[in-house]
Structure formats: C-alpha cells, structure tokens
Amino acid sequence: MGVISEKLPKIFYGGDYNPDQWPEEMWNEDMRLFKKAGANIVTLPVFSWAKLQPSEDTYHFEWLDKVLDLVAKNGMYVCLATPTAAQPAWMSLKYPEVLRTDEDGRKRTQGKRLNYCPNSSVYRKFSAGMAGKMAERYKDHPALAVWHISNEYVEGGYCYCDNCAKEFRMWLQKKYGSLEELNRVWNMSFWGHTVYSWEEVVVPSNLNGDNRCFQGMSLDYYRFMSDSLLECYRNEYDAIKVHTPHITITTNIWTVCKRLNLFDWAEHMDVAAWDNYPQMGEAFYNISLRHDVIRGLKKGEPFMLMEQTPSQQNWQDYNSLKRPGVMRLWSYQALAHGSDTVMFFQLRRSFGACEKYHGALIAHAGHENTRVFRECAELGAELNRLGDKILDSKCDSKVAIMMDFDNWNAVELSSGPSIALKYLPQIEKYYRALSTFNISVDIVRPDWDISKYNLVIAPVLYMIKPNVAGNIEQFVKNGGIFLTTFFSGIVNENDLVTLGGYPGQLRKVLGIWVEEIDALPPEMKNSIIVNNPIGKVDGEYECGMLCDLLHLEAARALAVYGKDFYAGMPVLTENILGKGRAYYVASDPEQRFVNDLLKYLCDSKGIKGPFEPTEGVEVTQRFKDNMIFTFVLNHNTYSVSVDLNGKEFRELLTGKNISNSLILEQKGVAILLELFV
Ligand code: GLA
Ligand code: ZN
C-alpha cells in the first residue's frame, strides 16, 4: 500500500489529545510543547461527540476547526478520529434502544464508553451521520493525514439485547438457510434443545447458561457480534470514503484478543493499527508476538502503533512507571516488528475522571521539565533524524505460526478436557523459542497460502475449517515442515467432532491416531523420554496438562512418555509425507523441549537469525529496495556486546560505522544498515 500518508512520509510521532478538556487559552502552549517533543501527528477528537453534537439537530464544529487550523499552522498533522465510541447522553435518553444490554441481561444506563448496541439502527444512523459530516467538512483540510474510526471496538463486551437477538436470528437464517441445518450444526438434540421456529432461538448468555453449553451456538454469537461491530465500523468507513477516497482509514485494535475476528476486520482496514499496553515486567517476546499478529493481519504490510503510554497506565492493579529507556526501547520494538508509527495515549494528562493518573507527554506539572517529557523529546528528535529511511520496509520470514480466532474461542469455550488449556500461551511458547533464536515469524490464517514458508507451526489447532487440512497436506508434500500439538484436528468449524479418531482431518498428514486424552492436574506431571537424540533434543523433559494416548500409523515415534500406565507410548512423532515432514507434540512440554525441538527443525532447514543469539537481546530485520535494517534491542538491565559476524554496518541512530561487535547499554537500541546488491 505504500506509506500511510503521502502528506506525512515519516514515522508518525504523536498521539491522543483532548483539547476539549482544556480552555482554549492553553492550546497554543500545547502546540509549543508537542513541537518541542518532535511530534508530527495529533489524534483527535476521539471522545468528543457530545461537544460536536450537543443535541439531535445542533452541531458545533467551530472549536474543532480552530484546533485543526492550529495543528496545521504549527506544521503538524491530524489523525482524525470519529467520536463515536461514546454516544452523547441526549441520545441514550431520547432513544433508549441505543444502550447496550450486558451478558447478565441487564440493560445499561448512559455512561462510560462503548456502551451502545451495535445493532441499533439509531446508533448506526447517527454515527454514520457524524462521520460523513466530519469527512465533508475536513476533506480538504491540510492537516488531515489519516482517519481513526471510533475507538477500541470491543472494550465494552458484547450486547445481548432483544434487537441483537432479532438480528442474530436473521444472521443465522442467512448462514444456515433452514432450521434443520441450524439444529444439526448446533447439535440441538442434545438435552432436548431442538427448535421448531426461528423465534425459539435465544442468544447464549448468563440468563440461560447456553454460552458454556452449546459451543456451536456461542461461536456463532461471537461471529455475529464481531460482524455487527464490524458493520458499525464499515458504516462509518463508507460515509468517510466517498469524501476522501485517498486517505487511509483505520481503527485502533484494543489488543490481540479473541472477542473480534481480527483477520476479518483487517480486510476492511486500510492499515492495521493497535494499542500496546504491556504490564511492567511483561516478557519482551510476548509483546513482539502481539506486534507480529498485527503485522500478520494485512500479510506483512507496515502497521500503526496507535497508542502506548509514555510512562504508566491507570487501569492496571499496579501502574508502574516505565523505567528510563523502556519507552524508547518499546517504541523501537514496534518499529522492529513492522510498525511505521510511534503514538501515545495521551499528550496532556487529564485532571479529572479515571484517566487523570494515566501517563502523558505533558504531566500535571504542565511544563517540559520532566523525565517523561525529556525522554519523549529525545525520541522525537531521533525519529526525525531517521526520516523516512525505514518507512514502508517489510519483514521477511521463513517460519509461520498459524492462528485462528474462532479456534481461540472454541478451545476456551470447551467444557473439558482441562480448564488449564488456554490458546494464546500455547502460541507464545512456540513463538518464544523462535524469538530466542532471533528467527522472524509471520502469523498466518490457516487457510492462507503458506508455500513461501519452510516451517509452519500450528499450536492447538483444535478447529479445522474447510480447506485447511488440504492446505497443510500440500505444504508438507511440497517439502515443508509442519508441527502441531495435542488437542488439534478435533472439531470442524461448528465445533462438531470429526468422527473416526483424532486428530480427524489431520490424521493423514500426521500419520497417527489418538485414542484418549488424559488431563493432569497442575501438580501432576509426566515426562518425555528421548532415547535417540535428534539434534539437541535428548534425554528427559517434563510435560503435563494434556497427554494424548496415540497410535502410530505412517508416523514414527521420536520420544515416548516416561510415566503412568501409558509409559512407552509415543509423545513426539514424525511423519514423512512427499518431500516434507509433519510433527506431533502430544502433550504440553516444558519450554526447554520446545526450544530444543524448534532449534533442530530450523537447523534442518538452514533457518537462522542474523546473529548468534544473546540472552535478552532481540534482533529483527526489515527490508527495502537494496537495504537491510537490522534492529538490535537490548531488553536487559545490563549492557551487552553483540557479535556482528564479522560484518560492517552503518548504525543509523548514531551515524557511526560499526564492525565486529556492537556494545549496547541497558535498554539500548541500534539500527544497523547493510547494503546488498
Ligand atoms: C485505551 C483507549 C484510550 C485510553 C487508554 C488508556 O487504549 O483507547 O482512550 O483509555 O486505553 O490506557
Ligand atoms: Zn443489542
């Protein structure tokens, strides 16, 4: 797609600003401070619907005109947000149907944000109306660089109102055509739930407990809600696009969560964008994984880091400060994984309500003589010097991890075999191993073309949707390495078990069948015994949580269980199919096992990171034209020396040439430029 905005071909630097919370006299001072921090973009007016439209027929845009003009006059740009994440009080009062109903069936009153029913036609009409009005008014404004629709769509959870129930029935009718089919895909003969008319279909909520009982139904409700919220977004998108066809439109994804099908959403976002709020002490590779998921949504296109805090949050239990250097390090981490922006929530700290203790560029002290401001200004200056160099460069991976949002929901809706099983930690485990070796990973949807990869990993691919088994089989036959784990291949897209033995549709590619699945309580463990070493995979490892009791068909066992009545049964298998190989890890292993196994698999394909790994140091690469940008990030609290493999580089942040080894202070960052022909 090229750069995010032709008007601002730089790394966007700036963030959320709420001028409507402050007297106009302060705005000039704000501009001075933003510029001093090196900001080039300001996001607004994210929550100003009530101010822009104080009643059904009154609009007040004049104050916003002034802010936009002021931003332009100061040489900065605007990420123009529609304010539709929080409806004005008059709307809820006059049209109570816009209010959301929660999972306990309680109709909410006006308040907070993300508190509207996504299927309310009143909400849809007013939100598209506001978006269209803004687009018409500001389409030629010189400050307009990019559109930001609403805010973090799923923060408020789902709606369970009667109107949503009605729309859900229509959605089901369209999807399944007949009640017979609906009864079949939800297996409604279970506990006598067969329905004979569409009106008998109710939404799965805490009022009936069906949300934990009929997984097929719950999955459909999740899909329907993701679609409903997406329609709200598209409703505004269309209203804007007619006026500004060439300006990028996006929305800020809350985080990598299972409540929205982000792959579906990304198809309607011109650029993927998300908000990154790690806890203090969060493992750096888990942050990296989330960036990679966002990059994966649009198949590797650069994305936007739309929000992060300059220092602390307010909504966590313990809102620790980012230690000196961490904000800078995490900003570069986003760039290292494919972001083209570094943006904050918020530029000025509010003085009332729940975000008054949330970090900001400008603290309550009100001036620039603070640690946080200084760190932001130093980063701003540095990014300015970097200019457009890394802009629109791409990552390149030989390894992919499959991820699926329906699968995530299905795994965690499942009643049995273990409450300990969570989807994301399983992905994190495999990702972590690859991160340890500085091996770049793409996150892909299971039905996408995977032929460019050498190794594809699908942790807990419980749900096999149409075309997925064939996709994997083809990949392996053509020479790829595929790895999956316990609790894979069990159900179809409706959460109906594939009969005939697990892992169902993956049986052929894996060459095994699973007869039983044992669930171990946390204090109980089994072991993985490797008698004939494969690479570094050797000796004994711990495993637990789930243990499949499996039989070999075409596959061979590489390791066996060490304990219990199934001691000696296979726990790691390998199947040769065509030119490739498929591996099955039948239990939840300790991290060391995953590291050793992935090292072996990557070695066998010659996949390696740019440099030899150094503990706590992350290395990633972005490519553009004939340039390779190698990011080296020291997440440690001590300085390190990184061996550069005898190569020579230009370090872009200092402008110095470096060869042989790179010394990085604690939390330090380097961007090494290498030219190739
Ligand atoms: C989210 C929202 C922002 C703000 C921050 C606070 O990311 O999008 O409006 O509330 O959280 O961390
Ligand atoms: Zn509703």
Side-chain angles (χ1 to χ4, degrees), residues 439-505:
I439 290 172
S440 179
V441 180
D442 283 351
I443 306 295
V444 298
R445 220 171 73 172
D447 60 345
W448 280 357
D449 179 1
I450 46 173
S451 55
K452 69 166 265 210
Y453 300 105
N454 294 142
L455 169 63
V456 172
I457 302 166
V460 190
L461 192 60
Y462 166 71
M463 172 178 285
I464 303 294
K465 293 177 175 172
N467 305 323
V468 170
N471 195 28
I472 294 169
E473 222 170 282
Q474 209 46 49
F475 169 74
V476 174
K477 280 185 180 154
N478 291 340
I481 300 183
F482 175 71
L483 181 148
T484 188
T485 71
F486 61 92
F487 216 49
S488 291
I490 312 270
V491 297
N492 71 2
E493 71 276 18
N494 292 114
D495 203 62
L496 294 173
V497 170
T498 302
L499 301 177
Y502 319 129
Q505 295 185 58

Side-chain angles (χ1 to χ4, degrees), residues 378-398:
E378 279 162 21
L379 177 61
E382 206 170 58
L383 293 175
N384 266 308
R385 286 197 298 276
L386 201 55
D388 65 354
K389 284 199 197 66
I390 66 159
L391 221 57
D392 204 31
S393 57
K394 309 271 160 52
C395 300
D396 184 30
S397 311
K398 291 281 157 231

